[in-house]
Amino acid sequence: MRIAKLTIKNFRSFGREGSVFNFHHKLNAFIGSNSAGKTSALEALRKMFGVSFAEREIIREDFHINEEQTTPLEIAELSIEVKIEFDDDEVQTIPPYFGYMVVDGEGTNPYLRIRLEAKWTKSFSANGDVDAKLLYIKCAEEEEETDDVKDPVPNHQRAYIEVFYVPAIRRPSEQIRYASGSILHRVLKRLKMDETFQEEFEASIASINDHFKSLPEFKDIQHTLTCFWEKFHKDQRYKEAILGFGGSDINTILKNIEVSFSPTGLHRKFQIDDLGEGYRSLFYLTLVCSLLQLENQLDDAEDHTDVQRPFLTVLAIEEPENHIAPQLLGRVISILLGIANQ
């Protein structure tokens, strides 16, 4: 399945007459001058199928304001719609959508219409009120629409399609942190750690703490800290102030994981922030491509009867050429084409 068409109306730089984009390949590009709406088009996809609620949230600034508007707005509406087509060999993706498919006529292939409709209303709130709905449109594009052809997309079906957005400003250090929503978190949260591994891991951390506590200087610091702490209060519950590596559980340790690069020509390894803008941008793309490939490999190797994986993942990259030397762009496009073909 793939997005074959994107229609945007009254969203950011797109006016009420609407703009239509047709996609004929697995790898597509928006090309245009500054402020032509390239970023807004990518953001439109993320508003529909972003992974987190924050990515999908519609705010006042998302509604287009006509330059001819001379009076304050009372109501504003926007819509973003995708047409999804299915390849002949994608039988497994059809059942959840079968009841929502439409056809243009006899002998034509069925397709799916999904639309985000949002309405902003002026209210006592400073930002007004926004009502947004993700809907299946159960009539062909050329047919007249009535209210009975619109069905809300169930929450659990939102996970069937996801947009992974790569911004123009690449900060790979944020994605290598073990924090919810980061690339590293998406991969590492699927690690399988049995009780034996966790017990051995906690014992290793305890051993490291014991090694430090055996140092005379460390003991002096611990003793002095505790003595002064006792002078400030008499509560027996918090009598001792113990120095050590905070947390022995695996999640606490993973939050401190980092990537380093070598050789560097210096007497130390490079961290991500030591890299130039070009290499940082390339490493961000490396993280994304690695994630997609690893998730595919894990999906092939595991039984996912209890886990819903997306039927369609859209990788939306803003300014793929950002900070990258021209002679490397061909390699970048080749890698992205390979990911698209997966």
Side-chain angles (χ1 to χ4, degrees):
M1 69 189 281
R2 65 181 182 86
I3 295 177
K5 185 177 181 181
L6 171 66
T7 304
I8 308 173
K9 295 181 180 180
N10 271 343
F11 177 73
R12 298 194 181 179
S13 59
F14 296 98
R16 68 169 67 92
E17 69 280 0
S19 296
V20 178
F21 304 92
N22 292 292
F23 307 118
H24 303 289
H25 306 283
K26 292 183 177 179
L27 183 64
N28 302 276
F30 292 112
I31 300 174
S33 59
N34 291 339
S35 298
K38 302 184 297 296
T39 298
S40 294
L42 295 181
E43 286 284 359
L45 288 171
R46 185 159 69 156
K47 291 294 182 180
M48 292 192 73
F49 305 118
V51 177
S52 67
F53 173 78
E55 292 178 304
R56 300 191 302 266
E57 185 180 16
I58 299 293
I59 59 176
R60 171 67 186 92
E61 287 72 21
D62 289 327
F63 294 85
H64 176 78
I65 298 178
N66 194 308
E67 60 182 7
E68 298 174 357
Q69 183 76 30
T70 58
T71 58
L73 280 176
E74 300 289 332
I75 296 176
E77 296 180 334
L78 65 79
S79 70
I80 306 167
E81 181 179 323
V82 295
K83 175 183 179 181
I84 296 178
E85 295 180 350
F86 297 80
D87 295 331
D88 294 337
D89 59 349
E90 290 185 303
V91 178
Q92 76 279 4
T93 64
I94 292 177
Y97 298 121
F98 187 76
Y100 307 106
M101 288 181 169
V102 296
V103 292
D104 289 331
E106 184 177 352
T108 60
N109 291 329
Y111 59 90
L112 191 68
R113 296 176 66 189
I114 303 179
R115 181 188 298 162
L116 172 64
E117 293 184 351
K119 182 177 181 179
W120 175 85
T121 306
K122 185 178 179 180
S123 68
F124 294 108
S125 169
N127 294 320
D129 296 325
V130 175
D131 179 32
K133 300 175 182 177
L134 191 64
L135 305 164
Y136 288 119
I137 308 300
K138 301 190 299 180
C139 70
E141 290 182 301
E142 303 303 323
E143 293 179 1
E144 182 181 354
E145 285 187 22
T146 56
D147 290 339
D148 61 343
V149 302
K150 298 180 180 181
D151 276 5
V153 176
N155 287 332
H156 72 277
Q157 290 191 6
R158 282 186 174 271
Y160 292 169
I161 304 173
E162 70 173 8
V163 168
F164 199 96
Y165 185 82
V166 178
I169 300 174
R170 323 252 207 261
R171 296 188 178 95
S173 56
E174 295 178 1
Q175 294 298 327
I176 209 66
R177 294 174 187 159
Y178 190 68
S180 179
S182 71
I183 294 173
L184 188 69
H185 186 267
R186 283 171 62 114
V187 175
L188 292 184
K189 70 179 181 180
R190 297 175 67 169
L191 289 175
K192 291 183 171 61
M193 294 170 286
D194 56 26
E195 291 184 6
T196 301
F197 174 86
Q198 295 191 41
E199 289 174 359
E200 292 176 350
F201 184 88
E202 291 174 3
S204 298
I205 298 300
S207 176
I208 292 174
N209 276 319
D210 290 341
H211 278 300
F212 267 89
K213 290 176 183 178
S214 65
L215 295 172
E217 295 84 0
F218 194 89
K219 289 181 179 179
D220 291 341
I221 296 172
Q222 175 75 67
H223 176 71
T224 304
L225 184 67
T226 299
C227 288
F228 271 99
W229 177 237
E230 289 178 341
K231 290 180 180 180
F232 278 98
H233 79 97
K234 299 300 181 181
D235 195 327
Q236 294 299 308
R237 291 177 298 173
Y238 317 115
K239 183 178 180 181
E240 291 186 71
I242 303 171
L243 281 178
F245 293 100
S248 60
D249 63 286
I250 185 68
N251 285 321
T252 301
I253 301 301
L254 286 175
K255 288 179 181 178
N256 296 306
I257 201 169
E258 62 182 27
V259 172
S260 59
F261 304 89
S262 64
T264 63
L266 302 176
H267 296 295
R268 65 176 181 86
K269 296 178 180 178
F270 268 22
Q271 306 301 316
I272 289 177
D273 291 337
D274 293 324
L275 298 177
E277 291 285 355
Y279 277 118
R280 261 183 276 181
S281 187
L282 287 172
F283 189 68
Y284 198 116
L285 295 178
T286 297
L287 287 173
V288 174
C289 294
S290 300
L291 164 70
L292 297 176
Q293 183 165 316
L294 285 168
E295 288 191 335
N296 278 341
Q297 292 173 351
L298 289 170
D299 288 342
D300 292 339
E302 297 175 2
D303 176 17
H304 287 286
T305 54
D306 60 340
V307 179
Q308 175 59 54
R309 295 298 305 149
F311 292 139
L312 173 64
T313 297
V314 177
L315 177 57
I317 303 179
E318 184 179 8
E319 298 181 14
E321 76 282 3
N322 225 12
H323 305 299
I324 297 176
Q327 67 269 22
L328 296 179
L329 291 179
R331 186 182 305 175
V332 170
I333 297 302
S334 295
I335 293 172
L336 295 180
L337 183 58
I339 291 293
N341 287 330
Q342 290 183 16

